[in-house]
Amino acid sequence: MPDGLWSSSPSHPPGLDCVPSFLALKFFLNEMKSLEAELNPPISKKVYNYIYNYKEHLPFKLLGILDVENIPCARDSVLYGSLGSVVAGLGHFLLTSRIRRSCDVGVGGFILVTLGCWFHCRYNYAKLRIQERIARDGIKNKILYESTHLDPERKPTTDKNSS
């Protein structure tokens, strides 16, 4: 097979006469790139950044005001609120068969469950932050006062030889 796609040069070990040459591989890769470019048209820079740089894209805001991704407790509160809405509205509808009132109860259930979960979660979050601050201050003081006369864990020594 002279000058074909496959190389049969003496540099190859015997028995490997069907190994593709470097030029054939390079040609194949270039063809694959051009085929990929035809099948996948270039995307805009904004879409590329949104897909590949997930930290740089704009945050998802619920109703334009609540940043669900970055605010602690917001995601869980909204999810539990929506579940409470469905349970309250569907439960009221099954008991009374009144559609409009069931929708009102569902909205009320959403508001009550969302606010209840929000305040409970934020209270626990604030408590955790206070505990973290106390622990951080304690570690800082331990590092600062360690091996000094102000160290509370250091036992006072009395010199009996000095009297």
Side-chain angles (χ1 to χ4, degrees):
M1 287 192 269
D3 294 331
L5 186 63
W6 307 99
S7 91
S8 59
S9 65
S11 65
H12 292 297
L16 293 178
D17 55 345
C18 63
V19 176
S21 67
F22 175 73
L23 292 176
L25 286 174
K26 189 175 179 182
F27 174 76
F28 177 73
L29 290 176
N30 285 337
E31 287 298 315
M32 290 302 293
K33 285 180 184 177
S34 65
L35 182 62
E36 183 182 1
E38 289 176 14
L39 294 176
N40 299 328
I43 56 178
S44 69
K45 188 169 181 73
K46 184 176 182 182
V47 173
Y48 178 84
N49 284 337
Y50 181 78
I51 293 171
Y52 295 106
N53 302 327
Y54 61 93
K55 291 288 186 186
E56 295 177 8
H57 73 279
L58 295 175
F60 174 72
K61 291 191 175 188
L62 190 65
L63 299 175
I65 55 172
L66 184 62
D67 186 8
V68 178
E69 291 180 17
N70 296 326
I71 297 176
C73 304
R75 178 179 172 269
D76 291 338
S77 297
V78 170
L79 288 175
Y80 285 128
S82 61
L83 180 66
S85 168
V86 169
V87 168
L90 191 61
H92 189 271
F93 177 74
L94 290 175
L95 291 174
T96 63
S97 298
R98 297 175 66 189
I99 297 172
R100 183 175 172 97
R101 179 59 61 104
S102 297
C103 291
D104 294 341
V105 168
V107 171
F110 174 78
I111 291 170
L112 288 177
V113 172
T114 301
L115 289 176
C117 287
W118 173 266
F119 287 121
H120 175 71
C121 184
R122 291 302 286 192
Y123 174 76
N124 288 335
Y125 184 73
K127 206 164 59 168
L128 181 69
R129 300 273 298 192
I130 290 170
Q131 290 172 351
E132 286 174 354
R133 189 184 67 216
I134 291 170
R136 192 171 36 249
D137 290 343
I139 291 170
K140 185 179 76 172
N141 288 338
K142 173 74 175 170
I143 292 170
L144 187 65
Y145 296 127
E146 190 174 27
S147 300
T148 65
H149 70 283
L150 298 174
D151 189 4
E153 291 182 1
R154 188 173 180 187
K155 294 179 181 176
T157 57
T158 56
D159 289 334
K160 294 181 180 179
N161 295 338
S162 62
S163 19

